[in-house]
Amino acid sequence: PSRRSSGLVGFGLLPLAIGCAQPTWYLDHGFGERLAKKENKPLLFYFKAWDSTQHRNMRLKVLSDPAVKAELLKTVNLELEFSWSTPYKERYGVSNPQILVMCKPDGTKVGHALYANPVPTVPRFLDWFKGALGEALPPTASGDRKSVVEGKSVDLGGRRTNKKKKKRTTSHARST
């Protein structure tokens, strides 16, 4: 009997191990900022009004979408109550609730904020998110600041390009 029950427990946890990871929304801005620096991940701030219909609809129609959830795993997500986050509103120039701001891991704002009132469509949100993420990603080990989004190279300006770099040919050979 114990063997059977442990197998069922293991099988029950299988979906969690297969990739059903869910994005986390932190409410503690200090923790989120430290985590972003530690993990070298971009920060996504969502300034919301907790009692608004737009916030509820944003959660139900956009943030719960599987494609959006997958993208949100690439960032440290902070949900800030608009009326209680004056220092952050001032830092990022936020004057209304329902605003999303993307930042580099050090908290430096990149690109433009997304005003989520009316609630954006999933494709519009993903377009904004991927462009902002391309600007917020830290440099790679080689110093290149580009990343791949949907198999396309994304530069810091968020412009997608399919152009491949031409290989330089030289008469010298490098030895390592």
Side-chain angles (χ1 to χ4, degrees), residues 12-119:
L13 297 176
L14 185 61
L16 294 175
I18 293 178
C20 296
Q22 298 289 317
T24 302
W25 286 91
Y26 298 101
L27 302 175
D28 180 354
H29 52 79
F31 175 79
E33 289 175 309
R34 288 189 305 276
L35 183 64
K37 286 179 186 175
K38 179 182 174 188
E39 294 185 1
N40 204 26
K41 288 174 79 173
L43 275 161
L44 177 64
F45 286 95
Y46 174 33
F47 293 88
K48 51 115 179 166
W50 69 270
D51 61 346
S52 77
T53 301
Q54 290 82 9
H55 169 61
R56 182 172 34 91
N57 289 338
M58 182 71 175
R59 281 216 165 263
L60 292 172
K61 295 178 180 178
V62 180
L63 300 177
S64 65
D65 182 86
V68 171
K69 284 181 175 182
E71 291 298 319
L72 290 173
L73 292 172
K74 299 173 185 175
T75 55
V76 173
N77 307 302
L78 287 167
E79 191 173 275
L80 300 176
E81 173 56 41
F82 177 77
S83 59
W84 303 331
S85 53
T86 301
Y88 289 89
K89 292 188 300 188
E90 290 172 358
R91 182 189 302 173
Y92 299 116
V94 174
S95 58
N96 297 314
Q98 305 314 115
I99 302 277
L100 292 110
V101 175
M102 183 72 74
C103 298
K104 294 179 182 181
D106 66 2
T108 305
K109 180 181 173 182
V110 297
H112 66 280
L114 177 67
Y115 185 44
N117 185 13
V119 175

